[in-house]
């Protein structure tokens, strides 16, 4: 029996000790009319070698296309040591460090993680992870509503150039608490938050302004101005950042005169493979002042009976297992293993390594933009400076173009036509440090052919603005 | 601390691009003035540091880990190896369906397997953990009532023994959580339930077997009462391991459930996660399931999104939840097959009842001695605490010295001085016997040298920690110059 060690003899002895004749007797408290029969519709078990064959086939079926999609998940190099260490059984098969003395490995690692995240974001404190970037933003919004002492408002300003799925997730998670999300548009020329539109809300009561850096279009926002504006209007500033960008851009804790109040985002670029969208991890950092409003696990440094340094879960009175219905969040299980990988990843890369990756990704996206805009009719949509993504407009229908490219094993970017129809045939492209010049040329050549083959058909649509 | 190995200019040179290119086109004012203060160490220093840290952990791979309610069973290595195949790891979440058929086939089949094993009408895999599954479940209950114009329902009932996530999830969905007491036999107090039910009842959240480790025998009656009051039943799948292939939440009358794949389907606990908390529903809640889900038309798999499912409560994460965890659970389910699923409940229940019987024979008190244990059971050390002055926490800490992770302590809150013990099906009889011997030894130590037990642990990397200081003199991050 796979994974079950019992011998016939064990079973006999154990049943005799319990005082029953057969295992099924142990289920005698379940009313018999509720019992289910055999699970015939589930296939029978397979030995490891057969499951292995099946999974190899499934993995191969999806090919390994050349990918220029970013849009919230970024393909970066991960040092071999990261997952070698992360999948050590002592990390992989431990659980939440409830018994601190027997969990110092995980606890110290999480403390080191918190230290590195505060170093990267310039914030005072970090929690030990949330599920992903989108749900971390939802928690940040709830935290801001609880934590803004100047405002009792349950309204939040959420820019339209924030990741569309993040906006949907925030809506799902906060809507039943009567929190209102007010959308702020973007400037059609620069691609950044429309400051004139924002100014219309000046003097109104909001709990927080959400500031992405970079925003979904890859464009860098005027974070100082936005942070100061939020503070001048009694709002908290919630930064949603790419942690890789934080290696090279001014960190959220240094935005404006006072710094952002909360900084959250998707941790995936720090050591997690893109792997179909998860598991990743959400990070959440804040000022000292807001630490008691934080959701999730937090690790503190302390001493033991002998005065020796040790680490423990702390401020647990915020959490559901203590505070129940009055907890800051319902989160229990988080993304511990992904944070283990991220901590090792940041250690191996160091500040210099992350900066090189960030700079190389920025440069490669620049090269990609240059190569693609050399094609007739392909142009950048926005004028603003970017981190490592760019919005391009194509001279042909974008959905068809991407499908044609995919047929040639190039994933040409994220189709913006559903979420931002006002942009016309726009695609969001990304080239990390892993896409080299051959890859870029491969994309350019294929797009050229796709355009040539489709431009004859009268499908050229210009946006109507 | 890793920062202690850090020296300016030292780096793991092989790991980054070989040169730093200019950040062209970005105004200087937007750039960071100095490098982020991360550790600067060599690759070997990092490897040694984190290997040594790992060695300070108890884990399933190294110790018996009977942490009640967490199902710490063996995590088959094949699940990790096969979920880490290059095609699996490199697939971008926004890759088109043409490049996702293999991945989606796994998810679709997992949806089906979970549907069958729980007796539910439909399943969405997307919640990232149990608590997010609870959130999704209660949000669906709310969506159902709202769609019927039934807007006066404001309360979710939870047993007093429930996991803290239950009331916290209810509140996140805008409900009040109202507690129902547990009777002396471990079943819910039916009279109290009856008087709590009313037009304000949106639903009830139950774990079955319950958090006190016994099967709620009057579940059918409870379901009828709650349904008659217009409420819905939520099943917290924390203890699904106990009943896999024996009784299905759908047949018990539950309308919505979550499953913890990191428990029942043996995906790793990872030092705190990631988990996965798929939700299953009865027919009337099907329109509200969170998205995305996977559909199959006989030829191709495709994502179901907002367009297909306009009444969905929406999305819970940027992509499709903890995909890699789902793949591990799928692999586990294929390795087990239907016959293996029956075995999960059979041997976890056999182990729990055997261990309970042996501990009772050794002089320990069960919280519910008249009841059959499920896959876990509660001991109460009330007697030892009173007579010897050695409490449950002391026993727990002393267990660590003997190389056993402590069971869950002081939960559920209603049983004084309790240990919630869950041995799981993957432990051998001799390991259970050894646990009994250790508990007996600690009891003897508590009689002969109570101070020593109260000071335990003695052999761990640290002794008992000053939790008060940790909370009062907050030190949550190493800072340069500290």
């Amino acid at each position: 029996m796979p994974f079950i060690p019992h011998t016939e003899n064990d079973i006999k002895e154990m049943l005799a000790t319990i005082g029953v004749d057969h295992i099924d007797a142990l289920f005698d408290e379940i009313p018999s009319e509720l019992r289910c029969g055999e699970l015939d519709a589930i296939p029978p078990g397979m030995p490891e070698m057969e499951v292995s064959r099946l999974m190899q086939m499934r993995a191969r079926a999806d090919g390994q296309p050349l990918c220029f999609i970013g849009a919230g998940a970024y393909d970066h190099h991960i040092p071999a040591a990261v997952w070698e260490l992360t999948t050590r059984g002592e990390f992989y098969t431990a659980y939440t460090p409830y018994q601190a003395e027997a969990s110092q490995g995980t606890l110290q690692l999480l403390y080191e993680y918190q230290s590195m995240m505060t170093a990267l974001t310039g914030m005072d404190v970090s929690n030990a992870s949330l599920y992903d970037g989108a749900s971390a933003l939802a928690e940040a919004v709830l935290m801001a509503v609880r934590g803004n002492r100047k405002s009792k408002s349950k309204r939040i300003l959420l820019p339209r150039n924030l990741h569309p799925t993040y906006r949907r997730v925030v809506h799902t998670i906060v809507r039943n608490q009567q929190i209102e999300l007010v959308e702020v548009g973007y400037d059609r020329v620069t691609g950044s938050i429309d400051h004139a539109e924002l100014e219309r809300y000046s003097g109104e009561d909001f709990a927080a302004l959400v500031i992405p850096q970079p925003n979904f279009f890859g464009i860098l926002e005027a974070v100082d101005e936005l942070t100061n504006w939020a503070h001048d209007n009694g709002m908290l500033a919630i930064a949603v950042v790419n942690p890789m960008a934080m290696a090279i851009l001014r960190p959220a804790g240094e935005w404006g005169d006072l710094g952002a109040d909360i900084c959250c985002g998707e941790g995936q670029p720090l050591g997690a493979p893109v792997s179909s969208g998860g598991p990743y991890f959400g990070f959440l950092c804040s000022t000292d002042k807001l630490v008691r409003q934080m959701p999730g696990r937090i690790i503190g440094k302390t001493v033991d009976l002998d005065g020796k340094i040790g680490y423990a879960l702390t401020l647990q009175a915020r959490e559901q297992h203590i505070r129940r219905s009055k907890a800051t969040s319902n989160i229990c299980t988080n993304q511990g293993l992904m944070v283990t990988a991220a901590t090792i990843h940041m250690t191996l890369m160091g500040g210099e390594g992350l900066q090189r990756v960030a700079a190389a990704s920025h440069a490669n996206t620049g090269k990609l933009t240059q190569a693609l805009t050399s094609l007739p009719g392909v142009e950048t949509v926005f004028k603003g400076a970017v981190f490592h993504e760019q919005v391009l407009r194509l001279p042909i229908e974008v959905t068809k173009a991407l499908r044609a490219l995919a047929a040639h094993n190039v994933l040409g970017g994220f189709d913006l036509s559903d979420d931002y129809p006002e942009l016309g045939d726009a695609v969001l492209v990304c080239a990390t440090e892993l896409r080299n010049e051959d890859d870029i040329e491969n994309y350019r050549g294929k797009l050229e052919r796709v355009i040539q083959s489709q431009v004859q058909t009268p499908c050229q649509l210009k946006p109507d603005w | 601390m890793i920062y202690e190995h850090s020296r300016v200019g030292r780096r793991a040179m092989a790991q980054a691009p070989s040169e730093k290119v200019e950040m062209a086109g970005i105004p200087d004012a937007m750039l960071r003035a100095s490098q982020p203060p991360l550790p600067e160490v060599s690759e070997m220093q990092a490897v040694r540091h984190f290997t040594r840290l790992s060695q300070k952990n108890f884990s399933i791979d190294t110790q018996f880990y009977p942490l009640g309610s967490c199902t710490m069973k063996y995590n088959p290595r094949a699940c990790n190896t096969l979920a880490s195949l290059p095609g699996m790891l490199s697939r971008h979440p926004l890759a088109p369906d043409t490049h996702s058929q293999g991945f989606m086939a796994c998810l679709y089949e997992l949806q089906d397997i979970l549907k069958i094993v729980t007796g539910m009408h439909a399943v969405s895999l997307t919640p990232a953990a149990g608590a997010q599954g609870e959130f999704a479940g209660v949000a669906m209950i709310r969506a159902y009532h709202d769609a019927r114009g039934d807007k006066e329902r404001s309360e979710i009932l939870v047993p007093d023994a429930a996991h803290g996530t239950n009331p916290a999830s209810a509140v996140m969905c805008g409900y009040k959580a109202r507690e129902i007491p547990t009777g002396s036999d471990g079943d819910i107090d039916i009279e109290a339930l009856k008087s709590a039910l009313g037009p304000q009842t949106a639903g009830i959240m139950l774990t079955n077997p319950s958090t006190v480790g016994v099967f709620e025998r009057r579940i059918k009656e409870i379901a009828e009462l709650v349904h008659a009051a217009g409420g819905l039943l939520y099943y917290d799948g924390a203890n699904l391991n106990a009943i896999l292939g024996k009784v299905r939440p759908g047949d018990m009358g539950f309308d919505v459930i979550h499953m913890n794949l990191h428990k029942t389907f043996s995906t790793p606990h990872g030092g705190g996660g990631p988990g996965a908390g798929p939700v299953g529903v009865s027919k009337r809640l099907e329109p509200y399931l969170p998205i995305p889900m996977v559909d199959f038309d006989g030829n191709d798999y495709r994502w179901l999104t907002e367009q297909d499912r306009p009444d969905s409560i929406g999305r819970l994460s940027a992509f499709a939840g903890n995909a890699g965890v789902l793949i591990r659970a799928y692999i586990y389910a294929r390795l087990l097959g239907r016959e293996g699923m029956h075995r999960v409940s059979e041997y976890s229940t056999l182990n729990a009842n055997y261990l309970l019987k042996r501990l009772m024979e050794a002089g320990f008190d069960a919280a519910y001695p008249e009841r059959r244990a499920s896959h876990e059971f509660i001991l109460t050390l009330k007697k030892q605490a009173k007579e010897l002055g050695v409490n449950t926490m002391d026993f727990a800490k002393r267990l660590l010295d003997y190389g056993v992770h402590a069971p869950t302590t002081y939960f559920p809150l209603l049983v004084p001085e309790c240990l919630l013990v869950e041995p799981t099906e993957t432990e051998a009889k001799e390991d259970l016997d050894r646990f009994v011997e250790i508990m007996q030894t600690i009891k003897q130590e508590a009689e002969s040298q109570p101070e020593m037990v109260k000071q335990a642990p003695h052999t761990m990397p640290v002794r008992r920690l000053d939790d008060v200081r940790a909370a009062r003199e907050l030190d949550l991050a190493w800072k340069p110059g500290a």
Side-chain angles (χ1 to χ4, degrees):
Chain A
M1 296 184 286
F3 320 125
I4 291 176
H6 300 62
T7 64
E8 285 297 323
N9 205 36
D10 290 339
I11 298 167
K12 221 179 288 165
E13 281 179 32
M14 293 169 84
L15 289 173
T17 303
I18 299 167
V20 294
D21 294 334
H22 48 91
I23 290 180
D24 211 49
L26 300 174
F27 296 90
D28 57 2
E29 288 195 359
I30 300 176
S32 53
E33 71 272 20
L34 291 181
R35 288 285 301 271
C36 64
E38 300 296 314
L39 304 168
D40 287 337
I42 294 176
M46 296 200 290
E48 188 173 305
M49 61 181 166
E50 280 178 35
V51 178
S52 178
R53 191 177 304 145
L54 170 72
M55 293 308 293
Q56 307 263 8
M57 190 185 78
R58 292 264 164 93
R60 268 199 306 273
D62 294 347
Q64 287 194 30
L66 182 57
C67 181
F68 293 92
I69 312 175
Y74 304 98
D75 187 17
H76 291 295
H77 173 68
I78 303 169
V82 171
W83 283 93
E84 289 267 340
L85 290 167
T86 301
T87 51
R88 281 182 65 91
E90 300 94 325
F91 287 135
Y92 190 76
T93 71
Y95 195 28
T96 303
Y98 295 117
Q99 293 293 335
E101 298 88 346
S103 313
Q104 284 297 298
T106 288
L107 285 162
Q108 184 179 329
L109 183 140
L110 292 174
Y111 177 85
E112 293 179 358
Y113 163 78
Q114 291 173 186
S115 305
M116 292 180 202
M117 288 314 292
T118 58
L120 203 53
T121 60
M123 304 298 291
D124 298 326
V125 293
S126 165
N127 79 357
S129 79
L130 298 168
Y131 306 128
D132 80 332
S135 62
L137 176 59
E139 290 280 13
V141 163
L142 294 171
M143 184 176 165
V145 169
R146 287 192 301 271
N148 188 337
R149 296 206 180 141
K150 291 187 188 146
S151 166
K152 290 250 179 301
S153 170
K154 294 180 105 178
R155 294 201 301 164
I156 300 284
L157 285 169
L158 203 64
R160 182 166 163 74
N161 62 13
L162 180 81
H163 197 304
T165 317
Y166 281 40
R167 286 186 276 135
R168 291 189 196 112
V169 170
V170 173
H171 176 74
T172 306
I173 295 177
V174 308
R175 62 188 288 218
N176 288 324
Q177 299 188 51
Q178 281 71 53
I179 289 167
E180 189 191 341
L181 305 172
V182 177
E183 190 174 283
V184 185
Y186 60 89
D187 184 306
R188 295 289 175 83
V189 177
T190 63
S192 53
I193 292 175
D194 185 341
H195 290 232
E197 189 177 331
L198 198 59
E199 205 48 52
R200 288 212 294 271
Y201 297 109
S202 184
E204 285 192 37
D205 198 9
F206 284 91
L209 167 68
V210 174
I211 308 171
Q213 184 73 328
N215 66 36
F216 187 60
F217 302 138
I219 307 277
L220 301 182
E221 295 284 350
V223 290
D224 296 324
E225 209 178 305
L226 292 166
T227 304
N228 286 341
W229 183 89
H231 289 154
D232 289 346
N233 285 285
M235 306 174 197
L236 298 184
I238 300 175
V240 186
V241 303
N242 181 327
M244 193 58 84
M246 286 290 97
I248 204 123
L249 300 179
R250 216 135 42 71
E254 296 174 13
W255 292 359
D257 298 331
L258 300 172
D261 303 281
I262 300 171
C263 175
C264 63
E266 175 53 69
Q268 177 274 327
L270 303 173
V274 289
S275 61
S276 296
Y280 300 164
F281 68 96
F283 61 88
L284 184 67
C285 302
S286 78
T287 56
D288 280 328
K289 231 186 329 192
L290 289 169
V291 67
R292 286 183 165 75
Q293 297 301 335
M294 265 209 170
R297 314 282 185 203
I298 298 177
I299 282 68
K301 188 175 181 177
T302 185
V303 293
D304 74 357
L305 287 171
D306 297 332
K308 186 176 173 190
I309 289 171
Y311 303 86
L313 292 168
T314 195
L315 299 178
Q316 294 189 72
R318 301 165 297 109
E319 292 190 65
Q320 47 75 28
H321 62 287
I322 307 286
R323 195 54 70 80
R324 301 178 73 85
S325 65
K326 294 188 175 60
T328 52
S329 167
N330 68 340
I331 191 167
C332 177
T333 291
N334 58 21
Q335 305 284 116
L337 197 71
M338 310 316 293
V339 160
T340 305
T343 307
I344 300 168
H345 187 81
M346 284 188 276
T347 300
L348 287 168
M349 301 305 286
E352 171 74 18
L354 290 185
Q355 287 200 329
R356 287 187 186 190
V357 171
S361 303
H362 171 77
N364 283 353
T365 297
K367 286 179 197 162
L368 176 68
T369 302
Q370 212 168 16
L372 298 183
T373 54
S374 72
L375 298 172
V378 180
E379 56 186 13
T380 56
V381 171
F382 300 117
K383 303 258 177 290
V386 300
F387 173 49
H388 68 5
E389 285 177 275
Q390 183 73 260
V391 180
L392 301 178
R393 188 173 297 122
L394 305 183
I396 53 174
E397 203 179 311
V398 60
T399 309
K400 276 191 189 164
L402 290 175
R403 209 178 294 144
L405 284 166
H408 290 95
N409 239 11
V410 171
L411 306 186
F414 179 73
D415 182 347
L416 292 169
S417 60
D418 278 347
D419 293 299
Y420 301 95
E422 68 273 20
L423 296 180
D425 287 304
V427 59
L428 179 69
V429 298
C430 173
T432 65
E433 85 281 12
L434 292 179
R435 298 295 94 87
N436 64 23
E437 290 182 9
D438 290 349
D439 298 332
I440 290 171
E441 176 49 29
N442 183 342
Y443 184 6
R444 192 203 62 78
K446 285 191 174 138
L447 182 61
E448 184 171 30
R449 264 170 284 161
V450 169
I451 292 174
Q452 280 166 358
S453 68
Q454 293 198 12
V455 87
Q456 283 88 353
T457 61
C459 67
Q460 191 166 349
L461 293 173
K462 279 277 179 201
D464 58 3
W465 49 277
Chain B
M1 274 289 289
I2 187 68
Y3 280 95
E4 287 162 19
H5 303 291
S6 186
R7 299 288 180 276
V8 175
R10 179 181 287 160
R11 290 200 317 106
M13 290 300 287
Q15 305 305 349
S18 51
E19 55 176 345
K20 181 147 88 191
V21 294
E22 284 289 305
M23 290 295 288
I26 298 183
D28 278 352
M30 286 188 165
L31 297 176
R32 223 181 148 112
S34 58
Q35 258 180 28
L38 297 175
E40 297 181 75
V41 300
S42 74
E43 179 163 333
M44 187 192 74
Q45 286 175 310
V47 169
R48 197 174 278 166
H49 174 76
F50 290 108
T51 301
R52 284 184 180 169
L53 278 191
S54 76
Q55 290 167 335
K56 294 184 183 182
N57 270 0
F58 275 27
S59 68
I60 300 168
D61 281 3
T62 49
Q63 275 91 9
F64 180 39
Y65 209 127
L67 188 65
S69 190
C70 298
T71 311
M72 303 299 284
K73 59 176 162 182
Y74 173 62
N75 306 144
R77 282 277 153 179
C79 300
N80 183 54
T81 304
L82 299 176
S84 305
L85 290 170
M88 289 286 163
L89 294 185
S90 64
R91 189 189 156 272
H92 193 283
L94 300 170
D97 292 357
T98 49
H99 289 70
S100 310
Q101 293 295 303
F103 169 69
M104 288 163 107
C106 297
L107 294 200
Y108 184 82
E109 288 173 17
L110 180 62
Q111 286 175 184
D112 253 2
I113 290 169
L114 297 179
K115 245 168 26 188
I116 296 161
V117 83
T118 58
M120 303 308 285
H121 174 72
V123 163
S124 165
L125 301 172
T126 188
Q132 205 181 47
E134 289 179 29
F135 173 88
V138 179
M140 285 190 272
I141 290 175
R142 187 168 190 125
Y144 169 79
H145 291 310
D146 285 353
R148 291 159 46 97
D150 193 353
K151 300 203 187 250
E152 299 310 306
R153 300 189 180 270
S154 58
E155 279 183 3
I156 291 281
L157 306 177
V158 294
D160 54 359
H163 296 115
T165 49
N166 289 179
S169 299
V171 168
M172 280 188 86
C173 292
Y175 284 120
K176 283 197 289 282
R178 177 166 173 178
E179 287 200 345
I180 305 294
T182 302
S184 56
D185 60 356
D187 284 345
I188 210 165
D189 181 336
I190 292 265
E191 292 311 309
L193 173 66
K194 282 180 187 163
S195 60
L197 285 168
Q200 78 290 353
T201 306
I204 186 168
M205 299 178 85
L206 292 172
T207 311
N208 198 14
S210 70
T211 52
V212 304
V214 299
F215 191 84
E216 180 67 61
R217 291 167 292 192
R218 282 167 291 183
I219 182 61
K220 219 44 199 169
E221 188 185 347
I222 293 169
E224 279 158 18
L225 286 167
V226 174
H227 283 149
L232 299 180
L233 280 89
Y234 183 94
Y235 180 82
D236 178 332
N239 293 342
L240 186 64
N241 213 59
I243 57 165
L244 211 60
K246 296 294 163 194
V247 54
R248 309 188 302 170
D251 299 335
M252 288 189 245
F254 286 96
D255 301 282
V256 50
I257 72 166
H258 88 260
M259 298 148 259
N260 300 84
L261 299 188
H262 47 294
K263 298 177 184 179
T264 315
F265 286 81
S266 212
T267 66
H269 282 73
V279 282
V281 291
S282 59
K283 195 157 190 201
R284 57 180 159 172
L285 288 178
E286 199 256 343
Y288 310 113
L289 279 168
I291 46 177
M293 294 164 62
V294 181
D295 194 22
F296 183 53
D297 66 6
N299 287 312
D300 296 311
Y301 299 92
R302 68 179 188 104
W303 292 110
L304 295 174
T305 64
E306 285 81 357
Q307 285 72 36
D308 309 286
R309 307 192 55 83
D311 294 325
S312 165
I313 59 159
R315 291 177 184 265
L316 299 163
S317 58
F319 301 108
N322 282 334
V325 178
L326 301 172
I327 294 295
R328 282 169 176 77
Y330 171 72
I331 296 165
Y332 179 73
R334 298 306 307 265
L335 287 166
L336 246 51
R338 55 183 174 235
E339 67 280 17
M341 296 198 191
H342 291 288
R343 285 198 299 259
V344 163
S345 56
E346 287 171 1
Y347 290 91
S348 61
T349 302
L350 176 67
N351 275 1
N353 279 281
Y354 173 74
L355 189 57
L356 173 60
K357 189 69 188 285
R358 294 265 349 252
L359 286 165
M360 286 170 73
E361 286 169 358
F364 290 94
D365 295 325
Y368 299 97
E370 306 305 321
R371 298 294 304 272
R372 191 72 83 194
S374 61
H375 68 317
E376 62 186 1
F377 58 86
I378 301 180
L379 292 183
T380 170
L381 304 183
K382 206 166 58 180
K383 192 171 71 190
Q384 286 79 7
K386 194 170 165 216
E387 291 170 6
L388 308 172
V390 174
N391 66 20
T392 296
M393 191 53 75
D394 302 326
F395 265 81
K397 297 300 184 194
R398 188 64 183 147
L399 278 169
L400 305 179
D401 281 331
Y402 286 101
V404 172
H405 193 282
T408 298
T409 55
Y410 298 102
F411 177 85
L413 305 167
L414 66 138
V415 181
E417 296 296 334
C418 68
L419 279 176
L420 180 58
V421 188
E422 180 181 4
T424 84
E425 71 275 16
T426 55
E427 294 297 328
K429 176 176 172 293
E430 56 267 32
D431 295 306
L432 306 179
D433 290 336
R434 181 168 166 269
F435 181 75
V436 176
E437 282 163 32
I438 293 169
M439 286 293 285
Q440 278 176 306
T441 307
I442 297 175
K443 188 147 70 80
Q444 285 156 12
E445 289 173 343
E447 285 157 4
S448 58
Q449 35 184 338
E451 280 312 306
M452 187 276 289
V453 178
K454 284 158 81 165
Q455 298 272 314
H458 299 277
T459 58
M460 293 293 104
V462 291
R463 296 181 61 200
R464 284 195 207 188
L465 292 161
D466 189 344
D467 289 327
V468 175
R469 174 176 157 148
R472 281 213 186 125
E473 299 170 33
L474 280 182
D475 178 346
L476 308 180
W478 178 88
K479 295 279 152 83

